[in-house]
Amino acid sequence: MARRDGYGRPSDGWSTAGRADTGPYRTPPAAGREQAPRHGCVTVLLAPFVTAARFQRPGREDRLADPAISGAQVARTCIGLGATAWLFYAYSLRHGAKDVIDDKLAEMLIAAAVLMVVGPLVVGAFVIAARPPLRARYRRRLSGPLTAFGVLFGAAALLAFAFRRDLQDRLFGGAGDIGFVLGLLIGLTALFLVPFVLTSSVLCVHHSFRTADVHEVLPPLLSPVVVVAMSVLQAVDGPPVNAPHGVWFLFLAGAPASVTALSFWELRRLRTRYGITLRGALGR
């Protein structure tokens, strides 16, 4: 009898076309891999973004990579950005431009924080619910999500410390020249950490903290939770523009509705095209 390997179809019945790095479904190379080397200021300017992509993109070699799913996710993101741009173009701002930008940056960080809380709970429940032969395999795959989580959390904590001048004076105030040098290094590090943390916050939400490294069904399960939480937060905070209530309601409802629909479609495609189901992933 064929072994199931945690999926809904026997492993020896799989077509290699659905595996990452094989056939037409080959996963795009990680940032910085198989690319022409860059030099000078371009490398320095791109370093935070490339580094964030290295840590936040899923890296499991045998991960299933379907270009239709990736394309749908990109299309949804583009539609969402277009709708946001139209909203700000069609209606006047309720507050200053700086306040609006600060709110959007805060929303990205809050979305990452929501994932930091919800992600470990969902992944932990998934691993515990899996049958013993699969449970050990999923535990070994936790290194990807743990790396993404730890890097973002550590970078955000270090960045917060870099902006706390009072803490730096308390720690390094009596160190003389050494304290001055350490403060200068922290300031230079902050220049790298600002774009790194912002990029990591966006990518961790897009890739759901690399939970696809554990199993392919986890990202579509997590994505709606984050978007619904953000929509609730936006509803409480109020619209950033002077838009009619009906337009603002459609804007708020569109994000969770589209993400939830896309997640259902992704789970259905995984089931019908590749035989991957949540029940099979748990070995039940």
Side-chain angles (χ1 to χ4, degrees), residues 207-242:
H207 294 297
S208 299
F209 270 122
R210 292 179 59 174
T211 50
D213 280 352
V214 179
H215 200 280
E216 287 80 358
V217 300
L218 286 174
L221 294 177
L222 278 172
S223 297
V225 176
V226 177
V227 177
V228 168
M230 294 308 303
S231 295
V232 171
L233 179 66
Q234 290 176 335
V236 172
D237 195 32
V241 296
N242 295 305

Side-chain angles (χ1 to χ4, degrees), residues 64-132:
L64 185 146
D66 189 329
I69 293 176
S70 300
Q73 293 171 344
V74 172
R76 181 190 61 79
T77 301
C78 293
I79 292 173
L81 291 175
T84 303
W86 173 84
L87 190 71
F88 283 101
Y89 174 78
Y91 302 99
S92 60
L93 296 177
R94 299 186 65 182
H95 306 287
K98 182 180 182 302
D99 294 334
V100 173
I101 294 174
D102 290 341
D103 288 343
K104 291 302 177 183
L105 294 177
E107 286 178 8
M108 289 192 303
L109 296 176
I110 291 172
V114 171
L115 262 179
M116 284 184 176
V117 176
V118 177
L121 295 176
V122 173
V123 174
F126 177 83
V127 174
I128 293 173
R131 291 190 179 276

Side-chain angles (χ1 to χ4, degrees), residues 46-208:
L46 293 180
F49 308 100
V50 173
T51 306
R54 285 182 181 274
F55 282 114
Q56 297 300 333
R57 288 177 58 181
R60 179 163 59 89
E61 293 183 356
D62 61 342
R63 177 179 56 89
L64 185 146
D66 189 329
I69 293 176
S70 300
Q73 293 171 344
V74 172
R76 181 190 61 79
T77 301
C78 293
I79 292 173
L81 291 175
T84 303
W86 173 84
L87 190 71
F88 283 101
Y89 174 78
Y91 302 99
S92 60
L93 296 177
R94 299 186 65 182
H95 306 287
K98 182 180 182 302
D99 294 334
V100 173
I101 294 174
D102 290 341
D103 288 343
K104 291 302 177 183
L105 294 177
E107 286 178 8
M108 289 192 303
L109 296 176
I110 291 172
V114 171
L115 262 179
M116 284 184 176
V117 176
V118 177
L121 295 176
V122 173
V123 174
F126 177 83
V127 174
I128 293 173
R131 291 190 179 276
L134 296 173
R135 191 180 303 162
R137 178 184 306 171
Y138 296 152
R139 281 200 301 265
R140 291 192 298 268
R141 294 177 178 177
L142 289 175
S143 59
L146 289 175
T147 298
F149 175 86
V151 167
L152 179 56
F153 182 81
L158 185 57
L159 183 61
F161 175 75
F163 286 134
R164 290 292 302 273
R165 191 65 190 177
D166 56 332
L167 293 179
Q168 296 179 40
D169 292 339
R170 194 176 304 172
L171 290 175
F172 307 137
D177 293 338
I178 296 178
F180 173 77
V181 172
L182 291 175
L184 181 61
L185 290 176
I186 291 175
L188 293 175
T189 303
L191 295 177
F192 174 90
L193 289 177
V194 169
F196 175 83
V197 170
L198 292 177
T199 305
S200 295
S201 299
V202 174
L203 291 178
C204 82
V205 174
H206 181 73
H207 294 297
S208 299

Side-chain angles (χ1 to χ4, degrees), residues 243-256:
H245 292 294
V247 174
W248 179 238
F249 175 78
L250 290 175
F251 185 81
L252 284 179

Side-chain angles (χ1 to χ4, degrees), residues 17-18 24-26 28 64-76 206 262-263 265-270 272-274:
Y25 296 93
R26 180 177 177 84
L64 185 146
D66 189 329
I69 293 176
S70 300
Q73 293 171 344
V74 172
R76 181 190 61 79
H206 181 73
L262 179 61
S263 295
W265 173 81
E266 183 176 345
L267 290 171
R268 182 178 181 277
R269 183 174 176 85
L270 290 173
T272 57
R273 190 175 182 86
Y274 305 106

